[in-house]
Amino acid sequence: MMTFEDIGRHCNVVQTVNFDDLIADALYLYTQKKPLVISHESLSGFVKITRTRPLIMKLHGDARLDPKNTEKETQGLAENVRKVLKNLLHETGLIFIGYGGHDESIAEILTELHQTHYHGGFTGLAATFLMAR
């Protein structure tokens, strides 16, 4: 969706728990736009909903920069990341792709936000995932 010229600017944020650069590489390959990659919690202040440039927020860090991958490390998100994530979810839609919902830190935020708080609604796994919690 991000690669379509007509709608790409309306869905230009990716929030991922993956450590790799596959999304950033694909965006650059198909759109010729280099996304802003938030690869560490200390960079979360650079997240702006109004950006036209694609944005990738790596919620558990990057493989090369302090990744959070143990069960203990993924039980919670830093408060600044939680705040940014909640703000994004209040203002944008949500589409789940390839996410199993087994991450307590993400599940906690999703269950805190009632479905009516999602401005753009949610699609895919989200409805089933939230109803099961």
Side-chain angles (χ1 to χ4, degrees):
M1 291 175 58
M2 295 174 85
T3 63
F4 289 101
E5 194 163 322
D6 292 346
I7 61 172
R9 61 189 168 87
H10 298 293
C11 54
N12 63 347
V13 177
V14 173
Q15 300 163 23
T16 182
V17 294
N18 295 339
F19 300 122
D20 61 50
D21 295 321
L22 183 61
I23 297 168
D25 293 345
L27 279 172
Y28 184 70
L29 181 65
Y30 290 104
T31 66
Q32 309 307 298
K33 295 178 185 175
K34 190 169 183 171
L36 173 62
V37 179
I38 305 299
S39 58
H40 191 270
E41 60 194 41
S42 63
L43 300 172
S44 65
F46 293 99
V47 173
K48 303 287 185 254
I49 294 172
T50 56
R51 283 191 187 279
T52 56
R53 181 177 171 188
L55 171 74
I56 299 171
M57 189 171 175
K58 294 186 175 187
L59 299 173
H60 293 314
D62 185 89
R64 294 175 294 278
L65 185 63
D66 192 28
K68 311 257 186 291
N69 61 356
T70 66
E71 186 176 338
K72 183 178 180 182
E73 291 172 330
T74 60
Q75 283 179 343
L77 293 172
E79 190 55 40
N80 54 336
V81 174
R82 287 178 56 84
K83 183 178 176 183
V84 168
L85 183 56
K86 281 183 162 184
N87 188 34
L88 282 171
L89 294 174
H90 274 289
E91 299 298 326
T92 61
L94 183 60
I95 299 172
F96 280 85
I97 301 172
Y99 177 63
H102 302 293
D103 185 314
E104 285 301 315
S105 59
I106 309 301
E108 183 179 312
I109 290 173
L110 293 175
T111 54
E112 285 176 14
L113 296 171
H114 189 271
Q115 184 172 354
T116 58
H117 286 103
Y118 296 97
H119 172 72
F122 37 29
T123 305
L125 178 63
T128 305
F129 173 73
L130 288 176
M131 291 168 52
R133 295 204 71 61

